[in-house]
Every structure is written in C-alpha cells, then in structure tokens.
Amino acid sequence: MKGLSVRIAVDVSADMAARALQLSGVPDEKIMVCHEEVQVTEAWKKGFFIAAGSLELVTHLPFDIIVESTGIPDVGARHAELAIQAGKHVGIATKETESVVGPYLTRLAERQGRLFTPLDGDQPSLLIGLVTWAQTLGFEVVAAGKSSEYDFIWDEQDCAVWCNSQRYSTPDLKSLWALAEDQEVAIVSARSEALSEIPQISVPDLCEMTNVANATGLIPDRPGFHAMVLRTHEVPTLLDHRELGGVLQGSGRLEVFNCLRRPDEVSFAGGVFVVLRCEDQETWELLRGKGHVLSRSGNSAMVYLPRHLLGLEAPISMLDAVLKGLPSGGGSAVKPHVDLVARATSEFTSGQTLEMKGHHRHIEGLRPEVHGAAPLSATSPVPFYLLPGAKIVRPVATGQLITLSDVSLPNSHMLRLRREQDAMFFKDAASSTQPPKETHPTQQR
C-alpha cells in the first residue's frame, strides 16, 4: 500500500520469519535470512527483505515503527521496551503485555518522543476511538464495549445454537427468543442459563476491556462483566441503568455481549459499540425513524461499528503514528485504572506451576476478573499475565483471588517493568504492604 514499506520480519527463528515474508508475496530472491547484525546491515543497504530471529539484530536500522504481535506477554514487554529505547514507535497487538504494563510503556515512549499505541483492527483501538468520538461530541456514555469473538447462531428448525463451528442443543430457546415487556432482564438471565454450555466470556475479552479501561477511565459494572446473550437491537435496553430497565448500576460502564442471531441475520462481526443517553426525545425519535437502535424506553441509543478486521486495518494506525504523531488509543491519558487478575476455580496445592495455554492464552483453573488497579504487594491480586510460569507456594482455595503471597513469580522482563509502573503511578508503591480494598472497580470512580 502507498506510504508503507515492510522490509523486516522477526520470528522465533530467521527461517520462520522468511516464511512469513514468502507468504506475504515476497519472492525468495529478494529475502535475506540473517543471523548476525553485519548481515542485517548488508541486506538493508542492498534493498533486501530481512528475515531475522531476534529483534536485537535489527533495531539499529532506520525504520520507523514495529508491530509487536507475538502474543507472548513477557516477550512483548521486552520487544516494546527495546524498540522504544532504540527510538522506534511501537504498535502493540499483544494485548496481554499491554494489560500489565501498557501505561508504563506509553510514558516511556513519550519520553523518547515516540508512541506506544494499540492498532486499529483490534477491538480496543476501535472502541477507544468510538468512546472518545462520543465524548468529544458531548454525549453521556452509558456503556461501551464489544461483541464477543463468536456469534451464537440459532437454527430454529434444529433447536440448536451454533458457536465457533460447534453445535449446542437448545430446545428451550424459542420461548426466550423475544423479550416480553417488563421482563427483559429476567428473560435474558434465563437465556444465558439455557445457553450455559457455551462459554460466554473469555480471557481475551476481559484483557481487551482492561486496556480500554486504562485508556478511557470507563470501568466494568462488576469484575466478571454481565456478558449477556443479546440480539443486536436489545443492547441499549439491557445496557442501561437498572431504574430504566437495564442491568447497570451507573454510567461509564464497560461491557461485552454475545451476539445472538438467526443464520440469515447480519452479524455484529465482533464490532464495538457505545450506548448513549438520549437527552432530546424528538431528535432521537427522528433518528429511530432513520434506523438507529434505541432502547424500548427511548432513554438510550446504541451507536456501533460492526467490524473487526484484525491486522487488515493496522496500517492505518501505523501511518497515523509515524506521519501524524497520533496514537490510535488514549495517548498520555493511559493510566492504571484497573488490573486483569485471576480467581481460582479449583484448588491449588503448593508446588504447582501455572501454565498459559491455547489460542486464548488462558491458565487452567483460573477465571479472569477486572478489579481496581493496585501496586504489587503481598496481599494484592497479581495481574493475570504475570502468572504464566509462576509456582504456587501455599494452598489456594477455590474462589480465592491469586495474590503475590500465593505464588513465586518468574524473574521476568515484564515483572521488572510492572514494578517500575507501580513506582511511577502509585505513591510509596515499593513499600506498600497494606492490602487493597476488596471492592470492585465501580467504587473507585
């Protein structure tokens, strides 16, 4: 595309990096596999595409921005710091790293006159942009969020719901398809129970919302989110204040919903939304007539972007950062408002090691929750993505939040950065020994 040249690929090995370049259409004769810095320098001067197995080999080259997309929390932290210190912008796609040390890396980049920014195509960047758009226009943001990764697709004739290519029998869903007047909350609750066999919240969902919270100051209504199963037009009705027929305790809430639809209905496509307060009824009724989605009461409306194009949109963020000096996220407004932490769903015994697994970067036996941010201390919950590789040092009961006293953390790059972040944002963080309040983040606004 115009204005963008991508000549460097780094992977766990130079050969794998070369394969990535080949798959993107680069001819073999234009790729140089490099194992030493001198080879990298020579390849750059000769105009080759460079395949390397280490970021350290290429940071001296005159490129503008890296995209960190390993998905490995500690590697992402090391790469981001290394690139910033080398004077490069960083586009972060490794949301796991950002959830633990994003505010620190944002400040570190600012000190270097560079940007640490999320990337369009991923929901956090798109949602931050939508929230700031709404706030700039002066709207009250009642709620904001995203639809979860996979739709719940109802096959009425088969009495089944399909999700992520899996079939789930749902004989009771027909009676729960439509929301009867004044029974909306009860029916949605029954709907979620009827579909309980299908996962309705995931670690990536809450990780992404953690990053949005830290960029915008919006917070979840409760640590595990409501994560309701909703049809698109139901969102503003349910994501409103309780006294107006919804489930929320107040405004400025972050949420995730699972999109329920028939096969012939349009998907939300993993998109993002804001629920806005309708302050002029005549205007909003006019907009309802234009097809906009209002709540049943007419007190709120949803504005949404039904897209989630992953890396296909990332170049827009890269161009904004390099050519305009603009982040796709919250810029200097990023602060540690919340932490993604872990609650045990089973018992752990001393000596067990916590292991991150799978596409969703989950840790077996742990459920993610979002709580008010706190510096690391003996009694504070440990950020979720500091836990991979940690060893349990004392028994942990089911239902317990994992604290620093429960584990021995690996001496990782990200742990060092997190301690620096705590010192940057929390006064006397290094000497903090008092337990954080066991509240959820709605009480910290």
Side-chain angles (χ1 to χ4, degrees), residues 340-383:
L340 180 71
V341 298
R343 191 179 295 277
T345 57
S346 60
E347 293 183 355
F348 288 90
T349 58
S350 297
Q352 287 185 259
T353 299
L354 302 177
E355 182 181 355
M356 185 177 71
K357 298 179 179 179
H359 170 69
H360 283 160
R361 303 292 191 268
H362 72 282
I363 300 174
E364 190 172 349
L366 298 182
R367 181 181 73 226
E369 293 184 0
V370 178
H371 287 250
L376 293 176
S377 70
T379 50
S380 65
V382 180

Side-chain angles (χ1 to χ4, degrees), residues 297-308:
S297 69
N299 285 296
S300 62
M302 178 175 70
V303 177
Y304 61 107
L305 298 175
R307 74 176 197 265
H308 174 214

Side-chain angles (χ1 to χ4, degrees), residues 5 153 315 396:
S5 172
I153 305 171
V396 174

